[in-house]
Amino acid sequence: MIIFDCDGVLVDSEILSNAIDAELMTGAGHPITAQDLIRTWIGRPKREIWAAIAAERGVAWPEGLLEEADARLLCAIETELRAVEGVAEALRQIDPPLAVASSSALPKLRRSLERCGLLHVFDPHVYSASQVARGKPAPDVFLFAAAQAGVAPEACLVIEDSVAGVTAALAAGMRAIGFTGGRHTYPGHGELLQEAGALEIVDHMRDLPSQVAALRTPRSDASG
């Protein structure tokens, strides 16, 4: 089974989400850029990111600020979100089964996929860290996805754009391909994913099907 992260891999949302978060955090007295957030925090559940930054700065966020960030992002999903370039064609070339395992909350995850015309490709195998005890870099959401699909973890190949996601995949006993084709990519992105354990780095979706085919083993094909 091929398991995709969503944000930054299927839908080009990381640049939107982190720009909103950086603006609100800066306005609350914690100067930070979207690139700062992307380099350090992408791949983790949003509430955990906000809680960790609040703990680091030693000051709680103003009441309702995270909810405002969520509301702004939902608006951006409806007006600005688009699929990652080339992803629809790439998915047509990759044999099923396919699944999504994301740090996003399930309603936002499903709406993002629907908005970009991708939900039908994966449904019903769309899974969120909100359904498990721990988010990435813990392996829980990947193990949950495999269990729900009835596929052994070692028969799964994960497509991820974050160090946290690659780390989670390896902790689940899965292999990973690093993806750096989203608009949020940055210098050294691919190298960090390789250091985390990604077997290959893909910087455009046009190259993903051939990499998936090369890494699919007879056991993974038999399992799914």
Side-chain angles (χ1 to χ4, degrees):
M1 183 167 72
I2 311 302
I3 304 178
F4 289 78
D5 177 46
C6 182
D7 298 294
V9 174
L10 298 172
V11 304
D12 216 350
S13 54
E14 290 288 9
I15 197 73
L16 302 176
S17 177
N18 285 283
I20 292 167
D21 289 355
E23 179 184 349
L24 291 175
M25 288 178 179
T26 298
H30 182 68
I32 195 167
T33 68
Q35 283 299 315
D36 291 334
L37 290 170
I38 287 166
R39 285 176 179 272
T40 307
W41 296 104
I42 65 164
R44 301 169 185 260
K46 186 166 184 168
R47 287 189 175 274
E48 291 183 14
I49 294 171
W50 278 66
I53 294 174
E56 283 185 0
R57 68 193 290 251
V59 180
W61 300 111
E63 186 175 352
L65 195 66
L66 177 55
E67 289 71 20
E68 181 179 350
D70 287 340
R72 287 195 188 185
L73 180 57
L74 288 176
C75 289
I77 287 171
E78 298 301 327
T79 58
E80 301 177 55
L81 184 64
R82 62 187 190 224
V84 165
E85 183 179 357
V87 70
E89 178 59 28
L91 291 172
R92 283 192 285 270
Q93 297 177 49
I94 298 173
D95 293 333
L98 308 178
V100 176
S102 170
S103 292
S104 289
L106 194 58
K108 181 252 184 181
L109 169 60
R110 292 183 64 85
R111 181 55 188 151
S112 295
L113 291 169
E114 183 179 37
R115 181 74 175 78
C116 292
L118 301 175
L119 181 59
H120 71 283
V121 177
F122 298 98
D123 221 9
H125 299 300
V126 177
Y127 307 108
S128 163
S130 62
Q131 297 173 285
V132 296
R134 301 173 298 171
K136 302 171 189 177
D140 300 29
V141 70
F142 288 131
L143 292 172
F144 181 71
Q148 291 296 305
V151 178
E154 59 268 24
C156 297
L157 177 63
V158 172
I159 317 301
E160 264 287 356
D161 68 319
S162 72
V163 169
V166 171
T167 301
L170 269 61
M174 303 175 182
R175 295 171 301 156
I177 291 175
F179 180 70
T180 60
R183 287 186 294 155
H184 65 293
T185 195
Y186 53 87
H189 188 180
E191 288 83 352
L192 288 174
L193 296 178
Q194 283 186 311
E195 290 173 7
L199 296 175
E200 301 289 345
I201 302 299
V202 171
D203 62 14
H204 195 284
M205 276 292 166
R206 73 171 72 90
D207 300 319
L208 185 62
S210 61
Q211 291 291 349
V212 167
L215 289 173
R216 257 186 156 149
T217 65
R219 181 172 183 180
S220 68
D221 288 338
S223 298

